[in-house]
Amino acid sequence: MEDERSVVELMRSMGLSDDVIARVGRLWGKSAARNGGRTHLLLGHLLDTAAVARVMWDEYVSAAFRRRLDEISGGRGRAWFMWVCGIHDCGKACPAFQAMDAAEAAPVLAAGLTWGRLPVGRGKRWRHDVAGAVLLLPRLAAEWDEEAAGWVWPLVAGHHGTFPSAGALKPPRGAQGRGAAWEEVQRAVVDVFTRAVGFEDLPDARPVGSLRKAEQLALSGLIVMADWIASDSGHFGGLPDAGQVSFAGARVRAETAWKRLRLRGGWRDLPLPEDPLAPLTGRLGVRARASQRELVERAWSMPAPGLLVAEAPMGEGKTKAALAAAEVLAARFGLDGVFVAMPTQATSDPMYEQVLRWVGSFGPELESQVALLHGRRRFNAWWRAVWDGEPRPDDDGCGCREGGYSGASGMADDDYGAIDEDAEYDMASARSSPDRSADAGADGPAYWFLGHKRGLLTAFGVGTVDHLLHAATRTRHVMLRFAGLAGKVVVVDEVHAADVYMRQFLVEALRWLGQAGVPVVLLSATLPPAQRQRFVDAYLSGVLGTADVHQPVPEPAGYPCVTVAYGAEGRAVAETSREAVPSWRESAPVRLAWLPDTDPAGTPVAAAVRKAVADGGVALVVVNQVARAQAIHHDLREGGFDGVLHLLHARLCAAHRADRTAECLRLMGPQAGEDRPERMVVIATQLAEQSFDVDADVLITDLAPADLLLQRIGRLHRHSGTRRPAAHHVPQVLVTGVAPGRDGAPRFLRASERIYGEWSLLRAAALVTEAAGPLTDEETGGPTASGWSIPADVPGLVARAYGNAGICPAGWDESGAWEQWQAKEREREKNAEGYLLCRRREWAFPTLEGLHYAGSRAASEEQLDAVVRDGDPSVEVVIVRRASGGYRGIDMTWLGVHGEVDDDEAIDRLMGGTVRLPPRLTDAARAELSPLPGWAGQPWLRYHLALVLEEDGTCLLGADRVSYHDVLGLVVQRAE
């Protein structure tokens, strides 16, 4: 039982001397200078953190993780969780910390705790997180056992974001405290705290088992979460008198703070569905297709949390099936939420709306717990409705109570988690503030989760796959990210979109998730068999805790198919669909033809577009280069194209891109109906490759690797019931971006070769040649060409494209291209290794000791994005226009003399001008651009670079002249 007496009464009952009681009562944990003007005693902060942990156990921690903590603590999981969270700062009971603030140090010295000259300088200072491990380790080893001590001390030493090696536990002379007085006080801090949270003494708190390393990482993240909440002086004011400090008081403070911050978990003990298919047919209202049933049934049949890999054609309904499977897995194994990872920001937005509706079906109060995790969420109307209390896009009302938070700007103004003196250790101190959401009721969104590094801690999240990959990087506070994944079901859509560099981090994440018992659902239409095998092996190596697991995946009986992998009684199991699962629609022939062209201007493409829709129809053109898309659009527009014409690429500003994407979906999407134009052309880059639910009559596409080419073909004749001109009853693809070269070998668009490499393009060209005939100088193919049968041919084409057998005609030098590609892939793998969370040879190590063996090189979110996505770094800018007497936004909104913005609506319009520059402009942008002076007080703006277009509409940036055209988007030209 927890002891609710004041710590003074508790120390007296324990027989401590008056001197020790007085000295413990002087140790400070939060200084008045950084804690709202009131000192907070060390024991007060330890008990606050333990009390927060107590609420987290009841309201936040998943049932699965509570079970594990009960198992390793002999059934006392909650008390032990409180203990391990609260003990984190015991290392502040040492001279190195107590001397940091002269005003706070004076009463400590007066009580008889003294010290000599201490090392100064950031690199020499003795850190209190490591001091805590030094203080605890000898006692844990003596009063527990070596094994328990070995995995618990890194949890204390790592609570500021990095796990040191045992070799770092060597304090400078005098920094840890010398003499009987310090020894007695340090012992008393641990013993009094341990008694207050419900244990008789330290031996009584000894765990009877060990957590696995991935579970330790998740626990470490929960410790950090509890510490950050308890460090907010707005909710945990200072208590300078030890007579006021008690666990009873800490519990009241924690419960009040939790409610005021509106924190909560997700489902909380989700019941098992009564009907096995109810999550699909009932909750999601789906008429279950065979492939969807297969995935949900596999989720029911797995005896333990595992990996599911669902492969099915584009438009098959994989995502809905994955959400239904997630409900089954969560109910069966005690998970509390879901994270859905998408390849891009653009694909995350529609998925957020889908997940929001799905989560709302469990209870409307859960909608506010669904977070959209990417930097442009501000422009998502559904996000704004839920998190800003604005009307919903469907006018149903937002469900937010009156008096709630009314503006988005505060979301980025992070004033939670102040850790005061801890700012010395890479956690910026934040000022305390009144709770912005105290009057809004318990069901509103919890803004605390929107703080730096905390997004994944929200119960339900949708975001880019980068968030998942970040949780597999050896970077500071990685434990917070991982804790946000542990206790959830993780769904990764379009998993084929990860290149070899990103796959390193995905494989690493699967290893850790497998060991943490996190079910993972991977979705793909075009997954090479070797990738499927690698994902299975990675997950199983985590489950079994060994570095090199290889469990051959049986050949699927057909396509669609579902592969499952899990551990059973210490052995690896990998199974796949034993019977062919029929697709929801019959395979149909797709006619392929060549359209030779490697000129970035794309003049033959524009001509082919006019011809293709001369008698009506909707054409989708997908090219591999923004400038090429702009040139083709310009050609069509200047040539007087008679029809609807849209341009969609990554160098449109945020507002234009969002509007244009929505308009394309309205005109070409599944609900288009009578709105579908008679004649329409959309010219796009790779944005149209995935999660873009449009239906084109004809596709013209630059050559791309086979799996991506098939993704593009997935936009062709996608929806049943679409009315089409007679000329387009048979789907047709014109493949361009390639032309015949010497000896018949293909020449590629230079941009394509730079992006994808020669080998994968050669293999794709060989496969297209089989279907469209030889590549010549003239457009080829037509009714006589064999074409492909889609979706039946998809798995075979992908397997051949990435297989080991040669498929290119003689004279194409396939072997030379292969060697170059392999060398590049090995180089990229090696580049990724330095950032992976764990070195391969250390995967089987049982503890977190030394995990950050070389520090954490990525310092900012932008740098972290660059870590997990190989390639040249790029930056986002906000486009503004210089005007007489000040500046205007991209839509001509007046900003003021220095760029001042006064209200949220104006900020929205200004931020709508956000655009990402091409990588070759990165250095110049960082050197020459800065935020406007008037943005300094705006959280959403103060770190954004302004690209100021002069009155002629251009800006000289390095050696390039940059302009922005409302239709073409960002235009970059080499300056004369």
Side-chain angles (χ1 to χ4, degrees), residues 616-815:
V618 175
L620 174 64
V621 181
V622 183
V623 296
N624 298 338
Q625 186 180 23
V626 172
R628 182 166 162 87
Q630 292 171 326
I632 294 168
H633 182 278
H634 179 78
D635 189 316
L636 287 170
R637 192 181 60 172
E638 294 302 307
F641 174 74
D642 179 21
V644 179
L645 183 61
H646 280 302
L647 177 64
L648 190 60
H649 57 73
R651 288 187 212 155
L652 293 169
C653 70
H656 292 164
R657 180 167 157 181
D659 290 346
R660 220 167 283 180
T661 301
E663 181 67 0
C664 289
L665 289 170
R666 185 181 73 81
L667 298 175
M668 300 171 65
Q671 309 301 322
E674 294 302 314
D675 288 337
R676 186 177 175 91
E678 292 294 324
R679 182 181 291 105
M680 176 176 177
V681 176
V682 176
I683 300 150
T685 56
Q686 291 92 331
L687 293 183
E689 204 165 78
Q690 53 208 3
S691 299
F692 188 49
D693 193 8
V694 297
D695 182 332
D697 296 323
V698 61
L699 172 70
I700 302 177
T701 174
D702 279 346
L703 184 70
D707 53 333
L708 304 183
L709 193 61
L710 288 163
Q711 287 288 336
R712 297 176 187 185
I713 292 173
R715 316 303 127 194
L716 190 59
H717 288 228
R718 184 180 178 94
H719 304 138
S720 58
T722 302
R723 58 180 173 82
R724 307 183 197 283
H728 296 303
H729 280 174
V730 176
Q732 181 173 7
V733 181
L734 288 176
V735 181
T736 185
V738 59
R742 288 178 301 176
D743 302 323
R747 288 185 294 109
F748 304 117
L749 195 68
R750 287 181 62 186
S752 302
E753 198 164 336
R754 189 171 63 249
I755 296 166
Y756 301 119
E758 184 186 16
W759 178 77
S760 60
L761 292 174
L762 281 174
R763 304 276 285 193
L767 294 173
V768 174
T769 297
E770 294 175 0
L775 175 63
T776 68
D777 288 323
E778 302 297 327
E779 182 178 329
T780 59
T784 58
S786 62
W788 288 338
S789 180
I790 302 296
D793 288 347
V794 168
L797 289 167
V798 174
R800 290 182 64 206
Y802 290 96
N804 296 321
I807 61 172
C808 296
W812 285 23
D813 191 20
E814 182 180 5
S815 60

Side-chain angles (χ1 to χ4, degrees), residues 140-151:
L140 298 184
E143 300 176 48
W144 289 4
D145 56 61
E146 292 286 348
E147 181 183 353
W151 69 267

Side-chain angles (χ1 to χ4, degrees), residues 17 77 380 468 553 601 702 710 838:
S17 71
N380 183 285
L468 172 61
V553 176
D702 279 346
L710 288 163
C838 185

